[in-house]
Amino acid sequence: MSEKELVLGDFLPVAAFSAYATLFKNLEQAANDQLFVEVDRLEQEIQACDFCVLDTNNGMKRKVADLQIMQDGICFHWQTT
């Protein structure tokens, strides 16, 4: 899998996501309202959270970049080291 490859899928949040739900909801609303300065600010705030994906098959974590969660969908790129 390429580092630049866009990963798309369904988002199934765990309980810990509730601490970040408002952040992603605000990003979605700003994008819908075309408030681009606010979108940029929120995207930077999300990137600073250092999110990762857990492979439930092998327990490995991998950091992601450009993370977007809107409604029940998720997309991101793998973060390069």
Side-chain angles (χ1 to χ4, degrees), residues 1 5 7 18-19 22 24 26 29 35 46 50 58 65-67 73-75 78 80:
M1 184 175 292
E5 187 175 349
V7 180
S18 64
T22 301
F24 286 94
N26 289 346
Q29 188 62 50
L35 301 172
I46 290 168
D50 238 5
N58 61 22
D66 307 320
L67 176 62
I74 186 171
C75 68
W78 296 116
T80 56

Side-chain angles (χ1 to χ4, degrees), residues 4-30:
K4 300 289 183 190
E5 187 175 349
L6 180 63
V7 180
L8 301 166
D10 295 328
F11 180 63
L12 305 170
V14 297
F17 178 72
S18 64
Y20 303 98
T22 301
L23 181 61
F24 286 94
K25 189 170 291 223
N26 289 346
L27 174 61
E28 183 175 5
Q29 188 62 50

Side-chain angles (χ1 to χ4, degrees), residues 5-70:
E5 187 175 349
L6 180 63
V7 180
L8 301 166
D10 295 328
F11 180 63
L12 305 170
V14 297
F17 178 72
S18 64
Y20 303 98
T22 301
L23 181 61
F24 286 94
K25 189 170 291 223
N26 289 346
L27 174 61
E28 183 175 5
Q29 188 62 50
N32 289 341
D33 294 342
Q34 298 184 353
L35 301 172
F36 302 118
V37 171
E38 185 68 0
V39 167
D40 289 343
R41 185 191 68 73
L42 290 164
E43 286 177 340
Q44 289 174 5
E45 189 174 339
I46 290 168
Q47 185 67 24
C49 291
D50 238 5
F51 287 106
C52 63
V53 171
L54 174 66
D55 184 331
T56 56
N57 292 320
N58 61 22
M60 292 180 62
K61 289 183 182 178
R62 190 163 178 196
K63 290 186 178 185
V64 299
D66 307 320
L67 176 62
Q68 292 184 13
I69 298 171
M70 295 191 176

